[in-house]
Amino acid sequence: MIRQTLVPLLTALAFLPAPRLAAQAPADLAAERAAFTDWLIHSPVSPYAAVSAAPLDPAGVGLELGGRTARIVERNGAAWLEGAGAPRVLPRNRPALVGTTTVLVTGEPPRSRVMLFGAGRRAVAPAYYPYDPALVFSGTLVAPTAPGSERVLTPDGVEVEATVAGTVTVPLGGGTTLRVLRLPDPGSEESSLEIYFRDGTSGTGSYPAGRFVTLAPIAGGRYRLDFNRSRNPFCAYNAAYPCPAPWRGNTIAVPVAAGERYESHP
Amino acid sequence: MILPALLLALVSPPASPAGNWRAVLDLAGGELRFSLNVRPAGRVLRGSICNGRSCTPLSGIRVAGDTVVLEMADYAATITSVLRGDSLTGIYHNVGNRGPRTIPFRASRGRWRIEPASADLLGSWDATFVTDGRSSPRVLLFSNDSSGFIGAMMSNTGDYGRFWGRAEADSFRLAHFDGSFVYMLTGRLDGDTLRGIFHAGLRTQTAFTAVRTTGRPHLRSPTEMTSADTSAPFRFAFPGLDGRTVANTDLRFRGKVVLLDVFGTWCPTCHEASPMLVDLYRRYHGRGLEIVGLAYEVTGDTAVDAPLVRRFQVTHRVPYPLLLAGTSDVASAAATLPQLQGFTSFPTSIFLGRDGRVRLVYAGFLGAATGAQHDRQVAEFRATIERLLAEPPR
């Protein structure tokens, strides 16, 4: 099989604006980052507001409610809240307010997880490397030889069955082939082609365990791989989240100084 | 010269977004077109987003200076835009657990041109979607109406709402945007085969091929998706909007035919199904039909969910009880209705005979966009109710 290479997008767009303008983050990326920062600081299910995460095992998860303890238990495939009035089913993949605590049940049985969120939070905007147009690539995805799947953690630490989508090769570090998995978006027709990678900045400017970057479809069956859109897993914001283990082989030997940075917070 | 212009600017009313707009979401696969209509209603503005003749009302429109915010509260979504002359530019935004989703939005004043498709594209197509080597079936229905080229897409769990768009020679582009779902079908006719891409949101593209429907079943029947325990009366007991529990054992249901509508206010197809259910109730209630809506809502918190269900009741003028049954996922519905097996979709219609036992479970709803299939479903619902009403009371 001939392995196709993702080529720098600028090669194909040689007549685009001068370097000074090109070095500015495009408007859609700026809007995306602004919306994410707003969500991070204000959403009730922001990683900054997470208090704890626990597997929803048969013993259930306790929840303090004004001096008494309610429990969340899994029964018949659903998460039930008991001990807080009549038993009721909690939504899955959507937040629910129980007393003053926001509860988020994620994952699928028997690997469901309960996240609890409180009111306290930091108001720290994510930090990013300067936009680097040389780290935007386009190309095709090389399909796997046979369908397959792997159990992995999503950016927010939920265990899912991801399908093996293929590989891409980028001209970094002498040419690096990266594995691509399709992560499902529960309850929707949408999914995303994700690469979880480490590089020369991991632990020295970016998050040590790695960063996620999404392959975005463009015309003609091709994809854009923009490392400026690399983002941290949620465990980078709050240790309550399980942290995805680095994906086998997805290490770029040179620094990829683009996308989200990481500075540890006390 | 400057002073009069300045005075004019000071006394001129701010620009209004009222009117008809050609609206676009910019997806990776090209522009997703829809219509945006805004009109004054007293001191406020009302509006809707439309895919051809199928429109979804906006829950609110806020204008502050040149900023126009279109709200879709049912789906926790907004379009925030800036009005400059005859154009609106901004972003569509809704929120998930992993952060917000943003899609570039733009609109210009006016109405979209009507661009019907040629006869070669029209009709029913059996499609096969392929993702990462795995395939799944769909049925595509294409037709023309007064708004132009329209379509519908059905899977084993229901339909995706009305698609609207345009065709040019053998190529087509159809879209469905209701404030929550962002779908687009693009493709072309290649000999006898349709080849295209289904776009969902910004990130997901699924290739498909389709051939003309042969008549052999391509999808599972909606009546075979979900089964039920018929050895005993079907049990349900949930609080109504007034807080009082409504149960299958209540006297009002004894000896009656009961249709349970498992729905959610967050589910566009459920909104589309509601007028048919209201019509069935008006036709058959006097002869012994009861309908009960079982609402599976987003939060499971009565304080949040009850107002949404009440608004649904008012919007669709629902005359039958709506109960707060659970939260908006398949597992919740399956857990709270344990006599069902294989619950897959919202809405699901459960028909109970006069003895209280399940006679038929119909998964999904084929909206008006599916044309003859919608008509067939309505006819099947009526025939089922007529048949059950004709049975002697036990």
Side-chain angles (χ1 to χ4, degrees):
Chain A
M1 180 183 298
I2 299 171
R3 198 174 287 283
Q4 297 198 44
T5 299
L6 287 170
V7 296
L9 193 60
L10 277 186
T11 307
L13 303 175
F15 298 103
L16 273 187
R20 190 175 63 81
L21 287 176
Q24 291 176 347
D28 67 319
L29 176 57
E32 203 175 286
R33 287 177 175 175
F36 183 71
T37 299
D38 183 67
W39 178 82
L40 205 53
I41 291 173
H42 296 109
S43 168
V45 291
S46 157
Y48 284 161
V51 175
S52 68
L56 188 48
D57 56 29
V61 174
L63 178 60
E64 289 301 320
L65 280 180
R68 61 198 170 109
T69 303
R71 292 202 80 70
I72 301 166
V73 295
E74 195 155 67
R75 208 168 51 240
N76 296 333
W80 291 79
L81 176 67
E82 297 180 343
R88 66 177 168 105
V89 176
L90 292 172
R92 193 174 289 268
N93 300 313
R94 294 176 187 269
L97 191 63
V98 179
T100 57
T101 302
T102 299
V103 179
L104 179 62
V105 180
T106 54
E108 296 297 328
R111 296 183 179 85
S112 305
R113 192 190 63 184
V114 176
M115 293 285 316
L116 303 180
F117 298 85
R121 68 189 56 218
R122 299 197 314 267
V124 181
Y128 297 97
Y129 287 101
Y131 182 77
D132 184 350
L135 289 170
V136 184
F137 303 96
S138 74
T140 53
L141 178 66
V142 178
T145 50
S149 63
E150 289 180 24
R151 294 203 74 84
V152 294
L153 296 184
T154 59
D156 55 341
V158 178
E159 188 175 337
V160 296
E161 188 82 19
T163 52
V164 177
T167 58
V168 295
T169 301
V170 290
L172 296 171
T176 306
T177 298
L178 299 167
R179 293 189 316 121
V180 184
L181 297 180
R182 183 181 298 278
L183 301 189
D185 187 358
S188 98
E189 289 284 323
E190 296 187 38
S191 57
S192 57
L193 293 171
E194 298 287 352
I195 297 169
Y196 188 47
F197 72 97
R198 299 184 81 246
D199 67 279
T201 69
S202 300
T204 60
S206 72
Y207 193 63
R211 291 179 289 169
F212 282 90
V213 64
T214 306
L215 273 190
I218 52 179
R222 294 168 67 81
Y223 293 88
R224 182 192 64 199
L225 174 51
D226 182 354
F227 283 102
N228 294 283
R229 294 168 198 260
S230 307
R231 62 200 193 282
N232 291 338
F234 283 13
C235 55
Y237 307 118
N238 189 325
Y241 287 85
C243 219
W247 290 359
R248 167 173 49 87
N250 274 18
T251 299
I252 301 170
V254 297
V256 178
E260 191 169 357
R261 301 176 63 100
Y262 175 72
E263 293 156 12
S264 61
H265 296 284
Chain B
M1 285 297 285
I2 294 173
L3 191 60
L6 190 62
L7 285 173
L8 190 64
L10 286 173
V11 299
S12 296
S16 167
N20 299 308
W21 296 86
R22 296 185 295 266
V24 166
L25 294 180
D26 282 309
L27 303 186
E31 57 181 38
L32 181 159
R33 293 181 178 182
F34 62 101
S35 298
L36 167 67
N37 307 310
V38 178
R39 63 189 185 286
R43 293 185 167 192
V44 298
L45 292 168
R46 302 262 181 237
S48 57
I49 50 181
C50 300
N51 304 287
R53 296 189 310 193
S54 173
C55 296
T56 305
L58 298 167
S59 57
I61 299 175
R62 288 185 282 123
V63 180
D66 60 1
T67 300
V68 179
V69 181
L70 312 171
E71 295 174 334
M72 292 148 274
D74 284 345
Y75 312 127
T78 55
I79 292 173
T80 303
S81 61
V82 173
L83 175 60
R84 295 254 193 278
D86 286 337
S87 74
L88 287 167
T89 311
I91 56 168
Y92 163 77
H93 175 278
N94 75 347
V95 176
N97 296 330
R98 294 180 197 153
R101 173 173 72 163
T102 58
I103 300 177
F105 161 85
R106 58 193 161 87
S108 54
R109 284 192 189 274
R111 296 178 191 272
W112 288 112
R113 204 153 55 90
I114 295 170
E115 297 174 85
S118 71
D120 291 344
L121 283 170
L122 305 183
S124 178
W125 298 84
D126 289 347
T128 301
F129 280 38
V130 179
T131 304
D132 304 327
R134 293 176 168 85
S135 63
S136 60
R138 303 284 190 281
V139 169
L140 308 175
L141 298 169
F142 293 161
S143 59
N144 290 322
D145 74 0
S146 59
S147 67
F149 184 35
I150 61 169
M153 182 166 81
M154 293 173 291
S155 73
N156 274 326
T157 56
D159 86 295
Y160 290 67
R162 177 183 293 258
F163 285 68
W164 167 87
R166 63 192 190 280
E168 192 174 284
D170 289 341
S171 298
F172 64 91
R173 182 174 290 265
L174 287 162
H176 172 88
F177 172 62
D178 54 26
S180 173
F181 297 126
V182 178
Y183 295 148
M184 188 162 72
L185 282 164
T186 58
R188 67 187 175 81
L189 186 60
D190 179 9
D192 293 334
T193 304
L194 281 183
R195 299 184 193 281
I197 293 175
F198 173 61
H199 312 249
L202 273 181
R203 301 165 303 171
T204 311
Q205 293 188 355
T206 307
F208 70 86
T209 57
V211 295
R212 285 220 172 264
T213 296
T214 59
R216 288 172 52 197
H218 189 59
L219 301 175
R220 289 170 63 190
S221 162
T223 58
E224 294 170 356
M225 305 283 293
T226 306
S227 58
D229 169 14
T230 57
S231 64
F234 191 77
R235 294 181 298 278
F236 63 88
F238 300 108
L241 294 175
D242 60 2
R244 281 184 289 194
T245 298
V246 175
N248 63 302
T249 50
D250 293 352
L251 273 180
R252 63 189 293 183
F253 301 123
R254 186 170 295 174
K256 302 279 188 66
V257 172
V258 178
L259 170 51
L260 298 172
D261 172 36
V262 182
F263 80 104
T265 61
W266 48 271
C267 151
T269 313
C270 302
H271 282 267
E272 203 175 347
S274 194
M276 178 198 69
L277 294 168
V278 170
D279 177 67
L280 291 174
Y281 185 83
R282 297 200 189 288
R283 282 171 185 266
Y284 298 112
H285 178 61
R287 293 171 54 191
L289 173 71
E290 296 287 349
I291 299 181
V292 182
L294 306 182
Y296 287 82
E297 290 304 299
V298 168
T299 71
D301 178 353
T302 302
V304 178
D305 294 344
L308 294 173
V309 177
R310 204 165 280 122
R311 189 167 72 199
F312 184 94
Q313 187 179 42
V314 170
T315 302
H316 297 292
R317 298 179 183 175
V318 176
Y320 47 81
L322 301 180
L323 314 183
L324 296 169
T327 55
S328 57
D329 54 273
V330 164
S332 169
T336 53
L337 301 171
Q339 285 167 280
L340 292 183
Q341 291 97 43
F343 181 88
T344 55
S345 60
F346 293 93
T348 285
S349 304
I350 306 166
F351 293 82
L352 311 182
R354 289 187 186 271
D355 59 358
R357 294 167 200 250
V358 174
R359 296 304 180 83
L360 184 75
V361 183
Y362 198 106
F365 175 76
L366 300 172
T370 64
Q373 306 216 32
H374 166 75
D375 296 343
R376 199 174 305 131
Q377 178 177 3
V378 173
E380 278 176 27
F381 273 40
R382 288 182 189 169
T384 301
I385 292 167
E386 293 271 6
R387 192 177 73 248
L388 296 177
L389 286 172
E391 292 179 354
R394 299 185 185 185

